[in-house]
Amino acid sequence: MISKSAASRKLVKLCCQALSSKKAEDLRVLDVSAQSSITDYLVLATGTSEPHLRALGTELRRSLAGAHTRLVGLDAAEESGWTVVDAFDVMVHLLTPAQRERYALENLWKDARDVPVDELLATPKSKPKPKERTVKAAGSGRKKARTTPVRTRSRGSA
């Protein structure tokens, strides 16, 4: 079974990927687990306009539903410039630039630990393809590519 902290981290990563895919600006993640008893992470993102905020919220809800995550709450008053999506361990605040500046949520949680968003958005490295080597075809002077993997260990290693 996955631990609560690993599950929370996975959920915050999903939220960041969803928001990034819809071009959220100034994406920031704060680990508030030491300061808050109601959530582990705050995700703050800026949308350029009300329609952009709606698109961010829609994509976020779609991604969370796809991961079978139940939302605890959603508050998106029309033309307020602020949408809150509560996924229990992760709370997401989507704000217009004016509301982001006005409320400065980062300052309210200045004791929280910043989580590098780049790390959350990084894709895991895939395994490299096996190297190909050329071998001389029997009875001819031509070389052809060999498609079987080449061992990279030296003969003496186990």
Side-chain angles (χ1 to χ4, degrees):
M1 180 171 197
I2 192 167
S3 71
K4 181 182 185 297
S5 61
S8 295
R9 181 95 173 172
K10 187 176 179 181
L11 186 58
V12 79
K13 184 175 184 171
L14 176 72
C15 292
C16 287
Q17 289 170 336
L19 295 171
S20 179
S21 74
K22 289 296 179 184
K23 309 290 188 229
E25 296 181 354
D26 197 16
L27 194 55
R28 190 149 175 214
V29 177
L30 303 174
D31 180 344
V32 295
S33 57
Q35 292 82 18
S36 173
S37 61
I38 61 169
T39 194
D40 291 335
Y41 293 98
L42 289 181
V43 177
L44 308 173
T46 302
T48 56
S49 62
E50 286 290 336
H52 190 203
L53 284 183
R54 286 192 298 275
L56 292 171
T58 299
E59 181 63 19
L60 184 60
R61 289 189 305 275
R62 187 194 64 73
S63 293
L64 292 171
H68 307 290
T69 301
R70 185 175 77 70
L71 294 182
V72 177
L74 174 75
D75 188 3
E78 199 166 319
E79 302 301 318
S80 70
W82 191 351
T83 299
V84 180
V85 179
D86 185 351
F88 193 69
D89 292 334
V90 178
M91 191 167 297
V92 182
H93 294 267
L94 308 172
L95 301 107
T96 58
Q99 298 297 56
R100 181 89 181 249
E101 185 178 338
R102 179 179 182 188
Y103 291 104
L105 295 176
E106 296 91 335
N107 294 337
L108 290 175
W109 295 96
K110 63 184 171 201
D111 294 336
R113 186 179 64 82
D114 253 310
V115 177
V117 174
D118 292 344
E119 289 177 17
L120 296 169
L121 294 176
T123 55
K125 293 181 181 179
S126 60
K127 292 184 180 180
K129 292 181 180 179
K131 294 179 183 178
E132 289 184 359
R133 64 178 171 188
T134 57
V135 293
K136 199 172 196 178
S140 76
R142 295 186 1 206
K143 291 183 178 181
K144 67 177 191 178
R146 181 176 177 180
T147 57
T148 57
V150 176
R151 292 186 185 211
T152 56
R153 283 194 268 176
S154 64
R155 288 184 172 224
S157 59

